[in-house]
Amino acid sequence: MPLSNLNQEQLSAATCSAGYNLIIASAGTGKTSTIVGRIATLINSGVKPNEILLLTFTNKAAAEMVARVAKFFGKDIAKQIMAGTFHSVSYKLLKELNVNITLKQPNELKTLFKSIYEKRVFFERDDEANPYDGGYLYDMYSLYLNSNDGEEFGDWIKSKNASHELYTLIYEDVVAEFHELKTKYGYANFDDLLTIMLDTLKEKEFEFKEILVDEYQDTNPLQGRLLDAFKPKSLFCVGDYDQSIYAFNGSDIGIISTFATRYKDATVFTLRKNYRSTKPILDLATKVIEYNERVYEKKLEVVRTENEHRPKLLAFNELFSQYEYISELISKSSTPHNDIAIIYRNNSSADGIEANLREFSIPAKRKGGMSFFDSVEVKFILDVLVMQITHNDMMAFIHVVEHGKGIGKAIAKDVFDALIKLGDGDLLKGLFHPRADMNNPYENGKIKNRQLGLFDDFIELGSISKFKDCNFEEAFLGNPILKHPKLNVDGGKYLYDIYLLMKHLRRTKNPETLITNISSSMAYSKLKDFLSTKRATQKDGTINPSQKTKSLAKINRKVMLLKNLSRNFQDLSKFINAMILGGSEMSEGDGVNLLSIHASKGLEFKEVYVIDLMDGRFPNRKLMSKGGSIEEERRLFYVAVTRAKDILYLSYAKYDKIKKMTFVASPFLKEAGMIIKDSEES
């Protein structure tokens, strides 16, 4: 049974009485075993598995815990446990209640938001502060949803930056129109899943006997309110305040630090035995983190007794010498590549180390920059697939069409609105069989309002004569969408490519076949050329041919990966939802792990390199000036270091010859008591 393998501290926590229980579980102290032990205790005491709700930070973590429960109780019992992230669980529960939702990727609705924003004109401006651009305003709104304490968006914006008070009416109106369109089309991104669930819980109660929460230190105010809205009879929250590193995404360390005061008769347990790291590694991490204020006292005990490698500091005169030397060390290391991690604070660090690893022919996989599923070339394919199922999906259409030369988001939205009118609500009908009685689908009745940045939309139509030599099918040439006055010839040709693609795709619903057809289309060929050219364009405006070839190869590899993922699905809807909900957790390839600190969370490796430990980079002074803190940066250092089991290297450089910048060592190295010896200079 799961309980027999627990130490006394883990057992006490796992078998505690029902109520409000907080388990402080530092890195490597066996929190997963404790959670599985708690689930076993609940089931053994008569709690039905469908009365257990397990909330984790990733769906992968939830699946691993459920799999471990299945080993002892069988798959039939384990699969009844409601388990997953706050978002995936909310999605499952809302679907059970038949709430109409069209799920979108976390950043996907940004395109819709920007298409609304780009219609606005800021007639009045403050010399001290330019208006936020559409993308940044969207990110601010997302942060507001996750971290606000009940205030209106405009008031929240003013509290963050008083100089933007002049623009708040426009900001709020953009948000209002955004919500109106989301509601109209049933769109929901990850933030919306939680807010919709929160509203649902006002009317509906779920009979969960206990709610378990993993990585509780990363809970944000929205998730905290959602947790309370479930009205839990018993809570079992596991986390470590020293690993709270998601403040930029709205997480609030105050949620874990005030647990004992917010919940009546709360009990706090502490897991002190560390099974992961050697004593020198743990001592180093502890020295630094103890500079932060102690919320819950803890003193970790090292269980391991094997031979110990002392953490080593490497100092370099030049930035890229650091990357080269580390690559050389790895080339000589006996540690398997998959058990080596290079961890960095800034994504710019990853580019340099990745290039040097290639020089040594060392395979590497990178996680923590742009998600595979957030890349334009992947999102394009997924959005075309979405349009096969939902014929009024504005978001998918805009995202596909905006990449056409001379089109952009605003025109793409105009064309979508026109097609919906021409097809009586069906985009494909508007494309292939437009209404014959509608000459001007671009008329818009929205009233001009200077205060809200609105202006009259065009009514006068453009001429289609400019397309007469384009060899369009007669049916397409006669479609009124070509009358958009700002649509140029290149844009018209791109729309025709989309028309031919959508026409071709009507023959099948198999995910793999559809991806094959999309990736071999003229529209996708143009997209690949555009992206590879853009990514190969140098600062002087010239194009690097070899870089363009490499960029094309990367795009083709991503297409192949997506095809491979689709082979396990016959149902298109299930494939799309799986890609959206689980997309951010998937990674590519094998080899040395290149990880941002946030991406390294929850992982462990035999050999770890924490690079670019220069003051300014780590701690990141720029982010600190925008609302971060030295305490948060120190927690990031703690997380990075505690990924190491056996071997730990810390490195920094004194000079960047490309940017002509001089660096000094990170203060965390001094706090750790590291001594730089001349023999370690490289």
Side-chain angles (χ1 to χ4, degrees), residues 605-617:
F605 305 91
K606 178 181 175 66
E607 188 170 330
V608 169
Y609 298 79
V610 184
I611 63 172
D612 284 351
L613 279 158
M614 293 88 79
D615 197 354
R617 283 202 173 191

Side-chain angles (χ1 to χ4, degrees), residues 131-149:
Y132 295 136
D133 67 34
Y136 188 78
L137 185 63
Y138 178 87
D139 293 338
M140 289 288 284
Y141 183 61
S142 178
L143 182 61
Y144 158 78
L145 289 175
N146 283 285
S147 63
N148 83 88
D149 202 21

Side-chain angles (χ1 to χ4, degrees), residues 290-329:
E290 284 183 342
Y291 278 84
N292 280 0
E293 183 182 353
R294 300 287 80 201
V295 181
Y296 301 100
E297 286 301 320
K298 63 178 181 181
K299 187 71 175 177
L300 294 179
E301 303 170 21
V302 178
V303 174
R304 294 179 55 189
T305 57
E306 312 91 302
N307 290 334
E308 300 170 349
H309 298 263
R310 298 197 66 79
K312 188 173 182 181
L313 176 63
L314 303 174
F316 298 86
N317 290 323
E318 204 281 317
L319 188 69
F320 282 84
S321 300
Q322 172 193 202
Y323 305 147
E324 186 178 0
Y325 185 79
I326 289 171
S327 298
E328 188 177 352
L329 275 181

Side-chain angles (χ1 to χ4, degrees), residues 368-565:
M370 178 179 284
S371 161
F372 169 76
F373 293 88
D374 284 337
S375 65
V376 173
E377 53 267 42
V378 173
K379 287 175 75 174
F380 180 98
I381 294 174
L382 291 177
D383 280 319
V384 173
L385 294 178
V386 166
M387 286 194 285
Q388 305 311 299
I389 298 171
T390 311
H391 296 176
N392 64 349
D393 197 309
M394 179 191 333
M395 213 22 263
F397 182 86
I398 293 174
H399 187 74
V400 167
V401 172
E402 67 169 314
H403 301 293
K405 193 174 180 180
I407 295 183
K409 293 177 178 63
I411 294 177
K413 185 176 179 299
D414 288 339
V415 174
F416 173 84
D417 290 337
L419 286 171
I420 290 294
K421 287 180 183 178
L422 290 164
D424 295 321
D426 188 313
L427 145 69
L428 295 187
K429 186 181 174 185
L431 189 60
F432 298 118
H433 308 289
R435 287 174 53 172
D437 62 343
M438 187 176 291
N439 184 50
N440 183 7
Y442 291 114
E443 283 187 289
N444 190 327
K446 190 134 186 176
I447 301 169
K448 180 178 180 179
N449 187 318
R450 183 180 179 92
Q451 194 177 23
L452 297 180
L454 294 166
F455 54 92
D456 287 329
D457 282 329
F458 52 80
I459 296 175
E460 186 177 344
L461 296 177
S463 170
I464 64 167
S465 61
K466 56 189 157 189
F467 304 116
K468 63 181 176 58
D469 297 324
C470 294
N471 295 318
F472 294 162
E473 288 180 7
E474 200 63 40
F476 182 74
L477 192 61
N479 196 309
I481 61 169
L482 291 176
K483 295 179 180 179
H484 193 296
K486 296 180 182 178
L487 186 67
N488 61 24
V489 172
D490 285 327
K493 287 180 177 177
Y494 186 74
L495 286 178
Y496 185 59
D497 292 333
I498 299 297
Y499 167 86
L500 293 176
L501 173 59
M502 301 304 287
K503 188 176 177 180
H504 184 57
L505 296 181
R506 291 191 292 180
R507 301 171 188 171
T508 181
K509 294 296 179 188
N510 176 269
E512 186 181 356
T513 306
L514 286 166
I515 293 171
T516 299
N517 292 342
I518 296 166
S519 61
S520 59
S521 69
M522 179 57 71
Y524 199 71
S525 178
K526 286 181 178 178
L527 178 72
K528 287 200 300 184
D529 185 67
F530 166 74
L531 292 174
S532 58
T533 301
K534 183 180 177 182
R535 292 166 185 175
T537 302
Q538 303 174 116
K539 289 182 179 179
D540 61 0
T542 59
I543 296 166
N544 184 323
S546 66
Q547 190 56 50
K548 183 173 179 177
T549 302
K550 287 178 183 177
S551 295
L552 278 169
K554 281 185 178 179
I555 294 171
N556 290 331
R557 280 199 298 273
K558 288 182 179 180
V559 173
M560 287 304 300
L561 178 63
L562 197 61
K563 278 187 191 177
N564 290 338
L565 291 171

Side-chain angles (χ1 to χ4, degrees), residues 571-585:
D571 186 278
L572 185 56
S573 295
K574 288 182 179 178
F575 172 66
I576 292 169
N577 283 333
M579 295 303 98
I580 293 170
L581 277 173
S584 62
E585 297 172 26

Side-chain angles (χ1 to χ4, degrees), residues 102-118:
T102 301
L103 190 61
K104 296 296 179 184
Q105 292 191 55
N107 286 325
E108 198 174 357
L109 286 177
K110 185 183 282 190
T111 300
L112 173 59
F113 190 93
K114 289 166 77 172
S115 76
I116 298 166
Y117 178 92
E118 288 171 10

